[in-house]
Amino acid sequence: ALKGEAMDKLAAILAMVLCFAQGAVAAPLSQLATMNGRCTSLTFAGKDGSKACQPKVVNSVHTDGRVGFTFLVGDIAVITFSGVAPQVKDTANIATQPLDTVIFTLTGMGTPPNDLKAAGVCTFSNPYAGPSKINCTAHTSNGIFRATFVSDGKEPSIQDF
């Protein structure tokens, strides 16, 4: 069970995902999946945020097929890599999600989310087949956004809407 600071951070991630879901870009949420593990690297707008990247990722699925992978950068920012194009199944346990948007939000600053047009992909492995790896790269007008995450091997926590 999550306690204290970990619950606050998860709540912040979920709040940003839910705010995104209510925006003009995405349809309502149909599912959230949360995984614990290790954020091994994170770059946003060309800046290294690896040391502040939290050990949790949230995967959102919307009713229109839009998918997002959300990362929390300490108390500084929330970054969602998002795309609506169909996923490509690379192998039995690896898929690629094409990206068209990065949502970059500075937390605690009172600033609205920045929806940045993007070109890129998130490649991810089956979270039910041992430790899962997520690798996202997106090119935007504000620079390159990248994140790499490895789960702890436990099944994700799923919330259906």
Side-chain angles (χ1 to χ4, degrees):
L2 294 174
K3 295 181 181 179
E5 188 177 342
M7 183 57 107
D8 292 342
K9 287 178 182 175
L10 178 58
I13 290 172
L14 294 178
M16 288 297 133
V17 171
L18 291 171
C19 286
F20 165 59
Q22 295 170 2
V25 173
L29 281 169
S30 61
Q31 186 178 77
L32 285 177
T34 305
M35 288 193 299
N36 295 308
R38 223 170 18 100
C39 180
T40 58
S41 67
L42 182 84
T43 303
F44 56 98
K47 296 179 177 32
D48 185 4
S50 301
K51 290 182 181 178
C53 188
Q54 299 301 300
K56 188 174 300 296
V57 68
V58 177
N59 173 230
S60 58
V61 179
H62 300 266
T63 58
D64 65 353
R66 181 166 289 280
V67 172
F69 291 95
T70 301
F71 298 83
L72 183 65
V73 188
D75 297 330
I76 301 168
V78 177
I79 300 168
T80 301
F81 295 85
S82 179
V84 74
Q87 292 176 357
V88 176
K89 192 162 185 154
D90 301 321
T91 68
N93 284 313
I94 298 175
T96 297
Q97 174 63 56
L99 302 172
D100 58 21
T101 306
V102 169
I103 299 95
F104 177 66
T105 307
L106 294 172
T107 57
M109 303 291 280
T111 58
N114 293 308
D115 290 359
L116 305 172
K117 288 186 186 252
V121 297
C122 284
T123 302
F124 57 97
S125 59
N126 182 350
Y128 298 98
S132 178
K133 184 174 183 180
I134 300 167
N135 188 10
C136 297
T137 301
H139 297 266
T140 75
S141 60
N142 288 15
I144 297 174
F145 287 74
R146 286 191 178 102
T148 304
F149 181 87
V150 179
S151 78
D152 59 10
K154 296 179 182 171
E155 292 186 3
S157 170
I158 305 290
Q159 182 177 2
D160 290 314
F161 294 90

